[in-house]
Amino acid sequence: MRKGILYGSGLLILLFSLFSAEACSDKKTIKEDSVTIDTGKTDSTSADTLETLLSEQPMPKAADELFDDFFFNFSANKKLQRKRISFPLPVYENGKVVKTITKSNWKIDNFFMRQDFYTLIFDNVKQMKVVKDTTINHVVVEKIYLKNKSVKQYLFNRIHGEWKLTSLNIHPMGQNSNASFLHFYQRFTTDSAFQMRSIHDPLYFVGPDPDNDFSNTSGTLLPEQWPSFAPGLPHALIYNIIYGQKYTESNQKIFVIRGIANGLETELTFKRLGKTWKLMKLSM
């Protein structure tokens, strides 16, 4: 689904100027993500340029109003990142502090800034509105490692008007609030036969109208048509941001692939029918 998403106009303009040369067609192929991308070891001229530009000027005070505005700055600006971490930073496993990280031992984390998209998981459309809520004071950024089935959570709190990373929490994927869906998604993206069996018949489709750049068209697809419309799906590492939404053992999950600079968005709506998850709707 095409959406002009503005997470801070000034930052968006900067991002757009850096990444516009890499923008591709409406049906964008998602780059293979990996722990290499996650740890920031992959060279990226655009990310390095963005980091340089953001490091040369202080983050606008207004960026603390909306978490996404802050987080883009936090991810790209290493000076700001160290400043906005409560050191020594406690690391929890199974509810217990297993270590603390000092400022000198902290390794800069660029999160998803070295790729051109990130992912989100919601129970319903109403939850998606919380992204723009400026009243929230607690946000959790999740790195979900699908291959080794673990989740690393970064807990942020707004303290005296400023967002700060206050702790890390590591736990098995099976303990995550989206565990059932995450186990399904991992197989959905790595087992092609299982993926085809998981497409609902019919599959509802919403996408750009080829005859009008400013509108969408909708219809249904047969499962056998799925390969022709399927977007590239990250299958090693995905992200989720919990902006205060309360997950439940919901029978619906909306998996969102959101472009950082190009305003493109893909939504895949899954529903659990009995004990089986099915892809019900694709919006591009």
Side-chain angles (χ1 to χ4, degrees):
M1 181 182 297
R2 290 188 214 172
K3 295 184 179 179
I5 303 170
L6 303 178
Y7 294 140
S9 57
L11 181 59
L12 183 67
I13 292 170
L14 178 59
L15 284 167
F16 183 80
S17 66
L18 292 172
F19 289 96
S20 58
E22 301 176 9
C24 53
S25 62
D26 287 332
K27 188 178 179 183
K28 178 180 265 304
T29 300
I30 301 299
K31 296 179 181 177
E32 182 108 53
D33 51 16
S34 64
V35 176
T36 300
I37 290 177
D38 171 58
T39 56
K41 295 180 181 178
T42 301
D43 289 333
S44 172
T45 301
S46 296
D48 291 341
T49 303
L50 176 59
E51 182 175 330
T52 300
L53 290 172
L54 290 178
S55 296
E56 290 176 350
Q57 55 185 351
M59 184 184 75
K61 180 64 177 176
D64 271 311
E65 293 297 315
L66 194 66
F67 178 79
D68 280 2
D69 286 352
F70 157 77
F71 190 68
F72 279 121
N73 279 273
F74 181 86
S75 301
N77 186 328
K78 59 185 179 182
K79 292 181 181 179
L80 175 70
Q81 187 167 128
R82 285 195 175 93
K83 181 180 178 182
R84 291 300 188 91
I85 298 176
S86 297
F87 292 112
L89 185 69
V91 180
Y92 291 82
E93 287 188 26
N94 299 317
K96 297 181 179 180
V97 176
V98 294
K99 66 177 181 179
T100 58
I101 302 175
T102 62
K103 189 173 184 178
S104 60
N105 289 328
W106 176 257
K107 295 181 180 179
I108 297 301
D109 195 329
N110 294 112
F111 296 91
F112 45 70
M113 293 301 291
R114 294 184 181 272
Q115 58 191 39
D116 56 4
F117 71 98
Y118 62 104
T119 55
L120 299 163
I121 302 171
F122 300 98
D123 282 350
N124 50 61
V125 174
K126 184 178 179 180
Q127 277 189 354
M128 297 172 71
K129 297 179 181 179
V130 75
V131 175
K132 298 181 180 180
D133 187 352
T134 60
T135 66
I136 56 176
N137 294 306
H138 177 73
V139 172
V140 179
V141 176
E142 294 184 320
K143 283 184 181 178
I144 302 167
Y145 299 92
L146 295 168
K147 287 186 176 180
N148 64 11
K149 295 180 171 54
S150 66
V151 179
K152 187 175 185 179
Q153 295 181 323
Y154 296 72
L155 283 69
F156 291 86
N157 289 286
R158 185 153 49 185
I159 302 170
H160 303 304
E162 293 185 343
W163 284 104
K164 289 193 174 183
L165 175 62
T166 56
S167 64
L168 301 181
N169 181 28
I170 302 170
H171 60 259
M173 196 166 74
Q175 294 179 10
N176 191 265
S177 53
N178 287 312
S180 173
F181 172 73
L182 292 174
H183 283 290
F184 159 79
Y185 176 84
Q186 191 274 333
R187 187 178 178 187
F188 183 83
T189 58
T190 55
D191 184 335
S192 58
F194 177 77
Q195 185 176 114
M196 288 300 297
R197 295 196 301 270
S198 302
I199 308 300
H200 188 262
D201 185 8
L203 173 65
Y204 187 61
F205 174 77
V206 178
D209 187 340
D211 299 321
N212 188 336
D213 289 338
F214 300 99
S215 65
N216 290 327
T217 184
S218 62
T220 57
L221 301 174
L222 297 174
E224 54 264 34
Q225 293 177 288
W226 163 249
S228 298
F229 291 84
L233 297 173
H235 61 270
L237 167 69
I238 61 174
Y239 286 84
N240 185 36
I241 303 179
I242 305 173
Y243 300 89
Q245 66 267 34
K246 302 296 183 182
Y247 293 110
T248 63
E249 282 298 320
S250 170
N251 290 324
Q252 175 176 277
K253 298 294 177 183
I254 302 174
F255 185 75
V256 179
I257 303 171
R258 181 164 288 173
I260 292 176
N262 54 27
L264 298 180
E265 180 169 306
T266 299
E267 297 174 10
L268 296 93
T269 302
F270 296 87
K271 286 189 177 181
R272 184 163 45 191
L273 305 177
K275 296 182 179 181
T276 305
W277 286 95
K278 293 280 188 179
L279 176 61
M280 308 294 293
K281 179 180 178 181
L282 171 64
S283 300
M284 305 179 73

